[in-house]
Amino acid sequence: VSFTVAAGDKIGILGKIGSGKSTILRLASGLYEPLDGAVMIDDTDIRQIVPEDIRANMAIVLQDVFLFSDTIANNISLYHPNITKEQMLQAAEQVGAKAFIDKLPGGFDYQVMERGATLSTGQAQLLSFIRAMVYNPAILVLDEATSSVDTATETLIQDAVLKLMKGRTCVVIAHRLSTIQHADKIIVLDAGEIKESGTHQELLKLNGYYKTLYQLQFSDLKKGSYFADC
């Protein structure tokens, strides 16, 4: 697999389970070391970069959000000494989460139960977006970050994603095409290889895997499935 993401670009990575999407995420963040080849950031092999420097400039928002037993504020800041309450308030406002936090008993001091048991899936996901926003990353990775949200907050989640992506280099891993069809480039993976690459319109013209998947999902859309664009 070889591809380039220009600074500020939005790249979508699409593929079925086991195609290599999450492996690319782990390689890009330095959690895996490549056995061959290299992962480069600004022409520097990431194996030559201190891991803390990589992760200080990269935020990863996962589908499965881990929240621990502590306050909303500490779940957002993760005890980082440089993150202020004002930054959290601003980030919550930006991603549209302040309204639901204000309704919680104690607001940012509300005690979250382990794994966010007292919050909805959408609320937990919004907290993960605030986490990413307060760190102001240059590189943003979304790994199926919008695929498990409740219907009531889905539009809010989509708006939060757009605000979070603005002005950043973004890699978006997704199953549903509505999440990535407006990306600058879409990469289609299968069995660890790039099968197709291009914009949404370019891939449709190829009459290949992407178009087949698009037609299947568009058929579900007409039936009122969850593949509908927000």
Side-chain angles (χ1 to χ4, degrees):
V1 169
S2 182
F3 62 92
T4 301
V5 182
D9 273 3
K10 312 295 184 282
I11 303 296
I13 299 180
L14 179 73
K16 56 189 177 185
I17 294 172
S19 62
K21 303 187 302 297
S22 294
T23 300
I24 287 176
L25 182 155
R26 291 175 173 88
L27 285 164
S29 58
L31 295 176
Y32 288 174
E33 278 200 10
L35 299 177
D36 192 16
V39 177
M40 315 285 285
I41 298 178
D42 290 340
D43 298 325
T44 301
D45 190 323
I46 64 169
R47 287 170 290 193
Q48 299 174 10
I49 305 174
V50 177
E52 288 81 3
D53 289 341
I54 297 172
R55 291 159 201 163
N57 290 282
M58 179 183 295
I60 300 174
V61 181
L62 303 173
Q63 176 181 356
D64 185 18
V65 180
F66 185 83
L67 299 174
F68 50 92
S69 183
D70 207 326
T71 64
I72 291 277
N74 287 337
N75 267 283
I76 292 170
S77 70
L78 302 176
Y79 294 98
H80 195 294
N82 295 333
I83 292 178
T84 66
K85 183 71 172 289
E86 288 70 26
Q87 286 174 303
M88 287 188 275
L89 284 167
Q90 185 179 15
E93 188 74 49
Q94 285 179 301
V95 302
K98 189 174 180 296
F100 101 78
I101 293 175
D102 286 343
K103 291 178 183 177
L104 296 172
F108 280 86
D109 293 322
Y110 174 77
Q111 193 75 20
V112 178
M113 293 185 65
E114 190 74 21
R115 300 196 66 84
T118 54
L119 301 175
S120 71
T121 304
Q123 289 171 337
Q125 195 63 273
L126 284 170
L127 291 184
S128 74
F129 292 144
I130 300 173
R131 271 181 185 169
M133 184 73 83
V134 294
Y135 277 86
N136 194 27
I139 301 170
L140 176 68
V141 180
L142 304 179
D143 187 6
E144 300 288 355
T146 61
S147 61
S148 295
V149 297
D150 50 284
T151 304
T153 56
E154 191 168 7
T155 302
L156 195 60
I157 292 287
Q158 293 287 353
D159 289 341
V161 169
L162 291 175
K163 290 173 182 175
L164 191 58
M165 291 172 66
K166 189 174 181 180
R168 295 181 170 91
T169 303
C170 301
V171 178
V172 182
I173 295 172
H175 279 305
R176 52 181 175 183
L177 304 186
S178 61
T179 308
I180 60 171
Q181 69 181 32
H182 299 299
D184 297 302
K185 182 194 292 184
I186 299 169
I187 294 169
V188 181
L189 292 177
D190 186 36
E193 296 181 353
I194 294 177
K195 294 299 183 184
E196 298 171 354
S197 178
T199 65
H200 172 70
Q201 293 299 330
E202 288 169 348
L203 291 175
L204 287 180
K205 292 176 182 176
L206 291 178
N207 292 317
Y209 176 88
Y210 182 87
K211 184 172 182 179
T212 300
L213 187 59
Y214 177 79
Q215 290 173 329
L216 285 171
Q217 293 193 8
F218 183 71
S219 175
D220 285 338
L221 170 60
K222 290 194 292 185
K223 296 173 186 175
S225 84
Y226 64 89
F227 287 113
D229 280 326
C230 297

